[in-house]
Amino acid sequence: MVRKIGSSFPSCRIIEHSDEPVYEVNRMARSLDKLYCRISKDNDDFRILANLSSGPSEFAAALGIFSYVHPRVVLFKVPTREYAVSQAMLEEFYYDNGVPVGLTRKTYPPKEIAGIRLELPDERRLRALRLYHSMMESGTEPYLSRMVPALKEQGLWEYEPAKEDLGSDLALREKMYYFRHYRQYWKEMGWIEEEKRRCPRLTASGIAAIEM
């Protein structure tokens, strides 16, 4: 694997983690965070590719936390196309009298994993993004003139003008609120593209957010 990465990306820096606590979520998350700080200190423009399909489940969980906290971390997986052992050998190792049991015969008692609370995205603005995307999917451009009434109808519009503002240009104020409260938030979250267009398309991250 190291040779393959080196041949494909000659300038890539490979760091070994053979002594890292890959079976402990919290310690591994901290170790990855330290690594991120080291990389960001020496580089202004970078991305970290993290293989979610590599290592034990504790390592995968730590990678998930790592990628959520640091937006420059890109998760990927490598699906298995062909196994190194035959079907007969798989059945010999993983089955007991025709019953799939895996490699585990005995286990220790369940061990609770102490976690941390990560702030969830604003639900209303996430639902507003889903509404924005659904318009696009139906072939309707989600212009401001369409989004504001739709948000009000769905109960996702939060702007209430103050009494002193009632005599001013309400349409202009709603426009400013929509772009600041919704569009700017979506952009900061990486949910919509950076393109200079009236109705930017959703990024892969935006699609994943509304699906989850």
Side-chain angles (χ1 to χ4, degrees), residues 10-195:
S11 60
C12 179
R13 179 185 176 191
I14 299 174
I15 302 174
E16 295 285 348
H17 292 276
S18 56
D19 297 326
E20 298 290 355
V22 293
Y23 290 99
E24 297 185 33
V25 176
N26 297 357
R27 290 180 61 194
M28 196 65 227
R30 182 178 179 181
S31 176
L32 291 170
D33 190 69
K34 288 182 178 179
L35 173 62
Y36 183 92
C37 292
R38 283 164 50 193
I39 295 174
S40 61
K41 183 179 179 180
D42 299 332
N43 302 274
D44 295 325
D45 184 23
F46 67 95
R47 287 193 312 161
I48 296 179
L49 306 181
N51 186 359
L52 196 60
S53 55
S54 175
S57 57
E58 294 88 348
F59 178 67
L63 280 182
I65 297 173
F66 183 50
S67 66
Y68 188 95
V69 174
H70 299 297
R72 289 182 179 270
V73 177
V74 179
L75 293 179
F76 72 95
K77 64 178 181 179
V78 184
T80 300
R81 178 186 296 179
E82 183 179 341
Y83 289 97
V85 296
S86 65
Q87 181 65 30
M89 293 180 67
L90 280 175
E91 292 179 0
E92 180 181 350
F93 284 116
Y94 289 91
Y95 286 74
D96 186 3
N97 293 325
V99 178
V101 296
L103 291 177
T104 301
R105 293 291 181 183
K106 295 182 180 180
T107 65
Y108 292 103
K111 180 180 178 182
E112 182 179 352
I113 297 175
I116 59 173
R117 293 290 299 175
L118 298 175
E119 184 180 353
L120 292 173
D122 183 89
E123 182 177 350
R124 285 196 177 189
R125 286 184 276 191
L126 182 55
R127 290 184 180 275
L129 179 70
R130 183 181 293 166
L131 176 62
Y132 177 91
H133 182 63
S134 67
M135 283 190 181
M136 285 186 170
E137 291 290 278
S138 66
T140 302
E141 287 295 307
Y143 296 130
L144 171 72
S145 59
R146 292 170 177 156
M147 277 298 295
V148 172
L151 289 169
K152 291 179 179 179
E153 182 182 343
Q154 295 292 325
L156 300 173
W157 184 254
E158 301 177 355
Y159 177 65
E160 291 291 341
K163 290 183 179 180
E164 58 270 21
D165 296 332
L166 291 176
S168 59
D169 189 343
L170 181 60
L172 177 60
R173 289 183 176 276
E174 288 186 337
K175 175 182 178 180
M176 294 173 60
Y177 181 82
Y178 170 72
F179 279 96
R180 182 177 65 252
H181 190 72
Y182 295 95
R183 284 278 292 270
Q184 183 61 31
Y185 178 79
W186 298 340
K187 185 176 179 180
E188 290 173 355
M189 295 294 287
W191 290 343
I192 57 176
E193 295 175 349
E194 297 282 347
E195 296 179 13

